[in-house]
Amino acid sequence: MNTSIEIPKDSKVYLNKPYVQVFWNPLNKILTSRWTGFCTYDEIKAVAQRIIDAVLFEGARKVLYDAREIEVLDENSQKYIAGNFTKEMIKVGIEYSATVLPVDIFAKFSVDDIQSSIKIPEASHNRFFQNIDDASEWLKSKSA
């Protein structure tokens, strides 16, 4: 399956690993992370720190999580994403986030668990989408 979005030509790449790409598009001012395959808890925490660094460096206010090709996340990863990572992203300035749901049904269950576990009121500007185009258009429509 090759449903991944291309990294726009003028983007700044912050991370390019087999399991994740993180890049900043200065034209639409969206930080994107594109996930592929399985990631360990330690990998997720390391990528999360890189995402936070990029948010701070670019002054990002909008982020797109492309999880279409991610595989199942372990329970610790789910708790970290729904808790500390989400709190930190809000703290560093993210106002809007869009997550594109995984194609794999078991991975989708993981993301659904994360979605239902987020109890932070400020995370109300986080939306979940079935496709990349809807997620991108929603983010572009938000002024931040």
Side-chain angles (χ1 to χ4, degrees):
M1 170 188 328
N2 187 7
T3 58
S4 297
I5 56 175
E6 293 295 319
I7 295 177
K9 182 178 132 192
D10 295 329
S11 294
K12 181 176 183 179
V13 177
Y14 277 89
L15 200 56
N16 192 1
K17 300 274 186 186
Y19 53 90
V20 67
Q21 293 174 316
V22 177
F23 57 93
W24 167 253
N25 183 329
L27 300 176
N28 61 25
K29 298 184 189 238
I30 296 173
L31 182 70
T32 299
S33 62
R34 177 175 52 210
W35 298 85
T36 305
F38 177 77
C39 301
T40 67
Y41 174 70
D42 290 336
E43 289 169 333
I44 286 173
K45 282 192 72 173
V47 172
Q49 187 55 58
R50 190 69 175 139
I51 289 171
I52 290 167
D53 292 344
V55 167
L56 287 168
F57 187 80
E58 300 297 347
R61 299 290 172 251
K62 300 183 272 187
V63 66
L64 173 63
Y65 304 108
D66 180 356
R68 290 175 292 169
E69 296 182 20
I70 200 167
E71 293 181 13
V72 175
L73 296 168
D74 64 81
E75 188 175 339
N76 285 336
S77 296
Q78 291 177 38
K79 286 180 182 176
Y80 172 72
I81 293 167
N84 290 342
F85 177 66
T86 299
K87 288 177 189 172
E88 189 65 23
M89 289 294 280
I90 292 166
K91 182 179 171 185
V92 298
I94 290 299
E95 296 175 21
Y96 297 99
S97 64
T99 302
V100 184
L101 296 169
V103 174
D104 178 86
I105 189 67
F106 298 108
K108 186 178 179 312
F109 290 149
S110 294
V111 174
D112 288 345
D113 288 345
I114 291 168
Q115 180 182 9
S116 66
S117 297
I118 296 175
K119 305 295 185 206
I120 305 159
E122 297 87 353
S124 63
H125 292 126
N126 181 38
R127 297 285 184 266
F128 293 81
F129 295 88
Q130 298 295 324
N131 66 67
I132 194 79
D133 292 333
D134 289 347
S136 295
E137 289 306 314
W138 180 78
L139 282 173
K140 288 176 189 174
S141 76
K142 302 301 174 191
S143 59

